[in-house]
Amino acid sequence: LLTVPLLLVELVAVLALAKAAQSSILNRLVPAAAAMIVLGYPGDAKLDIWGIAPSVWGLLSTIPFLYILYVLFIELGKSLSRQSEAVQKKVKILRLLLIAT
């Protein structure tokens, strides 16, 4: 519950975005990461909570994950135009790694 949100905080921190942009992105990423983990745990642990099958929990945890991908691809993509070519290249590689993993 700590590692994924912290990794997202680190990701945004190393991009050296403006404080307002960092705050805006983090206010969306951290709760989404926590929701993804909380919703995914019952599915991963094969728990049947409130009569909801584990596979449904897995599906529910996919919703915040897709939102995280949206923020990382679309929202960060908007700020990349102001970054150097080296930063743009690294973020593009990061995106591919995220999809691959």
Side-chain angles (χ1 to χ4, degrees), residues 4-63:
V4 174
L6 286 176
L7 285 172
L8 291 171
V9 169
E10 289 175 6
L11 169 69
V12 173
V14 299
L15 290 177
L17 300 171
K19 283 285 187 196
Q22 276 187 355
S23 178
S24 172
I25 289 173
L26 288 176
N27 286 339
R28 291 181 280 163
L29 286 179
V30 171
M36 177 184 72
I37 294 166
V38 168
L39 291 170
Y41 179 78
D44 188 46
K46 308 281 189 269
L47 301 175
D48 187 0
I49 298 175
W50 301 315
I52 301 173
S55 59
V56 175
W57 287 109
L59 181 64
L60 290 173
S61 73
T62 303
I63 296 167

